[in-house]
Amino acid sequence: MENLLLFFAVLLITSILLSKISDKFGIPSLIIFLGVGMLAGSDGLLGVNFDDQMIAQNVGMLALIFILYAGGLDTDFAAIKPIFGRGLALATLGVFLTALAIAPVAKYLLDFTWAEAFLLGSIISSTDAAAVFAILRAKKISLRNSIAPLLELESGSNDPMAIFLTMTIIQMISLNSTPSVSEWAITLVKQFSIGIAMGYLFGVALPAIFNRLRLKSWGLYPVFSIAWILLLYTLCFKIGGNGYLAVYIAGIFINKKEFSHKKNLVGFHDGIAWTMQIVVFLTLGLLVNPSELPATALMALVLALWLMFFARPLGVFASLAFSKFKINEQIFISWVGLRGVVPVVLATYVYVDGVRDADMIFNIIFFMVLISILIQGMSLGFAADKFKVKESEQEDVKPVENSPILSYTLRQHTIHYGSKLIGKDLAQLELPTEFLIILIKRKNEYQKPTGSTIFEENDLLLIQCENQVLYQDTIKYLTY
């Protein structure tokens, strides 16, 4: 047991330290994690023999739950709201058209059946937001015209569509039957409707629960959050919904509300998501045999180029037709469709379900992901400049000097008996952004309020608010 713990500890630390390379050269961190796993695998330096596809699949499934949840927590609902329809089109129609466009090339290049060819296209059809934004942050690229929120929404919500297509095709191959278009449509609508509805309900409920629980230790809030999201995924799956979509939607609506220890909770799940990404890519790196990749390298390269230059643009241009996005912006959106963790995880399903040519499909998907990361990932900065989608830098604009905080904007308010403030914490109040409680005097001691601070009778509040009417209305609302 100690040797196993030592092995994983060394791999994790090595992966994190080597990921500094991505910050310097703009290489996605996941390529580092994969590389470390491959070096430790059966064909690598350590020669670890790992070939349990079921374990890899379960690790990947668990990782996807928390990666998608963290992605939802990082999504700003106000930013994605104006482009929600277009993002949804990219995540559904775009994914379907991408898979459909890959199928004929895969069929004739690999001598697959139509079902196997569409399966390969479905597996590789979703994009990876984490890879895209890691590179954009490393290169300090800021995108204009709502491109960043669109990419974020698409990448977070297109995984469920790819999973749906993959599982449907695998089931079709296993049962040797072809469902009708109406059956497909009904199943899709059912899964997505249940997933969205349950994600919304669980996402709205959690902040309200946290604001009323008032646990003594803030460390219990992340534990509750983990259990909550696993409960959501399981219940959604049990009643026929898409659990992955549900956890992503829940994350978005949880982030929309203020609640106790929100900042700590979001930071915790960001760390969990990184841990999951590292673990799943190390596991997949151990699973792959690099000596087998050259046999499929040429076919994977052809398919990857077809994906980048035809299949992905087809899905993007069809989904964004008649939108506010210009041609150059749509070309850029097409180019940043990096592939990441989801396709490689889905590729493990072909092993478990006994699909013909499982080894070939897995190796081709793995190689296509590597090519996508290297070619598209390394050229994102160049593409942003080429297609003029960067935010314009206003270097000549002088910094605006802050005006002084005038004394009349600072006000004091004492919480009297019967006030609605008593027993509530700051996060529950959902105060206007211009109404700031900056200090509390309680029993002759001064306290700096936080989201979990509970107000008591006779508390003296120091409030900063420039708008007299807003101040009076807010105080009236809070008092009576």
Side-chain angles (χ1 to χ4, degrees):
M1 181 63 178
E2 289 79 8
N3 291 335
L4 181 63
L5 292 176
L6 176 63
F7 173 71
F8 274 105
V10 171
L11 285 186
L12 285 172
I13 293 173
T14 303
S15 300
I16 293 170
L17 293 177
L18 289 178
S19 69
K20 291 290 292 181
I21 297 175
S22 67
D23 296 332
K24 186 175 182 180
F25 299 104
I27 302 173
S29 299
L30 57 87
I31 199 76
I32 305 296
F33 307 149
L34 275 175
V36 172
M38 292 169 68
L39 285 174
S42 57
D43 290 344
L45 297 177
L46 299 183
V48 176
N49 187 21
F50 176 76
D51 59 357
D52 195 324
Q53 292 88 8
M54 179 61 77
I55 290 179
Q57 180 182 337
N58 290 333
V59 168
M61 183 192 74
L62 184 64
L64 284 180
I65 294 172
F66 288 100
I67 291 171
L68 289 171
Y69 181 47
L73 288 175
D74 285 335
T75 300
D76 183 358
F77 182 79
I80 67 170
K81 188 176 180 180
I83 46 84
F84 185 81
R86 293 297 177 175
L88 188 62
L90 276 173
T92 52
L93 177 63
V95 168
F96 177 77
L97 291 177
T98 299
L100 197 64
I102 291 174
V105 179
K107 173 177 169 53
Y108 292 107
L109 185 66
L110 306 174
D111 195 25
F112 278 1
T113 64
W114 278 112
E116 292 168 340
F118 190 54
L119 172 62
L120 189 144
S122 300
I123 292 173
I124 200 66
S125 60
S126 68
T127 58
D128 190 313
V132 173
F133 287 97
I135 297 173
L136 293 177
R137 283 193 295 267
K139 294 181 176 292
K140 299 179 180 179
I141 299 172
S142 179
L143 304 176
R144 61 180 175 86
N145 195 20
S146 301
I147 294 176
L150 179 71
L151 291 172
E152 186 175 14
L153 176 61
E154 180 210 3
S155 300
S157 57
N158 65 8
D159 296 333
M161 182 65 177
I163 294 169
F164 167 78
L165 291 176
T166 300
M167 299 308 297
T168 302
I169 299 298
I170 288 177
Q171 185 180 29
M172 186 180 75
I173 294 173
S174 301
L175 299 177
N176 195 25
S177 62
T178 304
S180 64
V181 175
S182 61
E183 290 176 327
W184 273 42
I186 291 171
T187 304
L188 176 64
V189 171
K190 176 187 174 183
Q191 285 195 15
F192 278 54
S193 297
I194 294 174
I196 292 172
M198 290 197 64
Y200 172 77
L201 292 174
F202 272 65
V204 171
L206 187 63
I209 292 173
F210 277 175
N211 285 332
R212 287 167 176 77
L213 271 181
R214 295 173 188 167
L215 301 172
K216 291 184 178 181
S217 173
W218 81 265
L220 292 174
Y221 286 89
V223 178
F224 190 100
S225 178
I226 290 174
W228 186 255
I229 216 63
L230 291 176
L231 176 66
L232 167 60
Y233 174 84
T234 306
L235 288 179
C236 190
F237 178 79
K238 290 288 186 182
I239 63 175
N242 192 304
Y244 296 106
L245 180 61
V247 298
Y248 178 70
I249 295 295
I252 293 176
F253 283 96
I254 289 170
N255 182 46
K256 189 181 176 184
K257 294 287 185 180
E258 293 298 325
F259 54 88
S260 301
H261 305 293
K262 177 180 177 179
K263 185 176 180 180
N264 292 332
L265 185 73
V266 172
F268 170 83
H269 279 288
D270 185 55
I272 290 291
W274 272 109
T275 303
M276 291 296 179
Q277 285 195 67
I278 295 173
V279 170
V280 74
F281 273 104
L282 286 176
T283 304
L284 294 171
L286 289 170
L287 184 63
V288 73
N289 295 315
S291 60
E292 298 177 0
L293 294 179
T296 58
L298 182 58
M299 294 178 288
L301 177 61
V302 172
L303 286 167
L305 294 176
W306 180 256
L307 170 65
M308 288 186 282
F309 290 102
F310 181 79
R312 165 70 176 175
L314 173 65
V316 169
F317 276 80
S319 303
L320 299 182
F322 309 107
S323 70
K324 67 175 182 178
F325 295 99
K326 300 175 182 178
I327 295 298
N328 63 309
E329 294 170 340
Q330 294 186 39
I331 295 174
F332 177 77
I333 292 169
S334 301
W335 188 248
V336 296
L338 271 73
R339 271 50 197 174
V341 60
V342 176
V344 187
V345 170
L346 289 179
T348 63
Y349 281 71
V350 298
Y351 282 115
V352 178
D353 291 280
V355 176
R356 186 173 68 93
D357 295 321
D359 285 325
M360 178 184 289
I361 292 174
F362 180 84
N363 289 333
I364 287 176
I365 293 296
F366 190 91
F367 212 101
M368 289 178 72
V369 170
L370 289 180
I371 294 170
S372 172
I373 294 169
L374 289 173
I375 296 179
Q376 293 174 291
M378 299 283 286
S379 62
L380 275 188
F382 171 78
D385 288 324
K386 179 69 175 178
F387 299 111
K388 301 177 181 179
V389 296
K390 283 185 178 181
E391 284 279 10
S392 57
E393 298 181 3
Q394 301 178 349
E395 299 178 354
D396 299 332
V397 177
K398 296 181 180 179
V400 179
E401 294 184 2
N402 289 320
S403 59
I405 299 176
L406 301 177
S407 58
Y408 77 86
T409 67
L410 298 174
R411 311 164 195 273
Q412 298 184 60
H413 174 74
T414 301
I415 300 177
H416 297 292
Y417 174 80
S419 172
K420 291 196 299 185
L421 282 170
I422 298 174
K424 292 187 176 180
D425 59 41
L426 188 58
Q428 282 181 271
L429 302 180
E430 298 185 2
L431 298 171
T433 54
E434 300 85 359
F435 188 98
L436 303 175
I437 300 177
I438 56 180
L439 196 66
I440 299 175
K441 186 176 182 180
R442 178 180 295 168
K443 298 177 182 179
N444 291 321
E445 293 184 356
Y446 294 97
Q447 298 182 15
K448 181 180 177 182
T450 64
S452 58
T453 299
I454 298 175
F455 295 103
E456 299 178 2
E457 185 180 352
N458 295 323
D459 281 352
L460 177 61
L461 311 181
L462 179 62
I463 301 167
Q464 198 279 327
C465 184
E466 294 186 5
N467 189 316
Q468 175 70 17
V469 175
L470 176 66
Y471 172 77
Q472 291 176 346
D473 289 344
T474 305
I475 288 295
K476 184 178 180 180
Y477 167 74
L478 294 175
T479 305
Y480 306 106

